[in-house]
Amino acid sequence: MEITELIHRNDGGRGFSFELLPPLKGNGTGSLFSLIDRLNDFGPLYVNITTHHSEYVYQELANGQFLRQRVRRRPGTIAIAAAIQNRYHLPVVPHVICSGTTKENIEYELLDLQFLGISNLLLLRGDKAKDDRVFTPTAGGHTHTTELIQQVNRFNEGFFVDGTPIKHPGRHFDYGVACYPEKHEEAPNIEMDLMYLKQKQDLGAQYAVTQLFYDNKKYFSFVEKARQMGITIPIIPGIKPLAKLSQLTVVPKTFHCDLPQELATEIVKCKTDEDARQLGIEWGTHQCEELYAAGVTNIHFYTVSATNSVVEIVRRLKA
């Protein structure tokens, strides 16, 4: 079932979905399944699984110089998606990204997902390398999400990336994209950022999930501007509760979002990480209540470094 169908079938209820991070290479799935077990009782609509291709690391050589090389620390997105689907019978949405991979490898990902009967995707460019000033695609890869969308569209039409017809096309893929209520860090302004979102919609994106935010006014303003520009697809709010004191400065820097003054003032009063976590739960619950009251039918939770907080917020919302 398409994600947009799941959202609409929710009939205005308090739907939610959540995003998971695949375990580091060599780690098991115990903690991952434990989180799903805790949230599954509350009826999530679907589960997202992030993708992390190779990234640059620096290895010191005997001569004192450093060798820049790519390593992959979190494999398994497709396997994790299949395991969740088989174990929990939940709709899964693996991320397919441009960063760190080639068009040919993306094609193999699409084939594997099709074999597994997984047809919902979230298409993203992915982050630039930490030391790169601008995003640099892998040789033979994509530079923009719109190019990735076009590849998936061609695959849906029955053609491989080299133009060869697919003899037995399978079920086509449905997909969503990301959006940024406070604009993407590389966009010159919110209007141009929305223009890119409109392009993704026009190419076939069926919904958009926002980057995390802490000020609902930013989300409401973003949605209003998007509608004025002819963007009609669902815009699902993404929420990540604050969970520790250091996030007062880390979150705005990492995710390029502002903390409302009221929240920042309260965080400064916190003495411990537990104080900050409790504040994050209270703030996140209030955010969600306000979003639901405004007509939002699905909220997407980012669980990384905030698993216990997300579980508590969902428990309160479903009580």
Side-chain angles (χ1 to χ4, degrees), residues 242-246 267 270-282 308-309 312 316:
L242 293 174
K244 56 182 65 176
L245 284 169
S246 61
I267 295 175
C270 294
K271 303 298 183 183
T272 66
D273 282 343
E274 179 58 22
D275 291 340
R277 192 179 78 84
Q278 290 300 323
L279 173 62
I281 291 171
E282 295 295 335
N308 292 332
S309 298
E312 177 59 21
R316 294 185 182 192

Side-chain angles (χ1 to χ4, degrees), residues 7 21 71 93 116 135 144 187 189 216 218 227 230 250 254 260 288 311:
I7 295 170
L21 188 68
V71 298
V93 184
L116 291 165
F135 179 81
H144 303 290
N189 53 58
N216 285 351
K218 300 285 182 68
R227 301 309 182 215
V250 171
T254 303
C288 294
V311 171

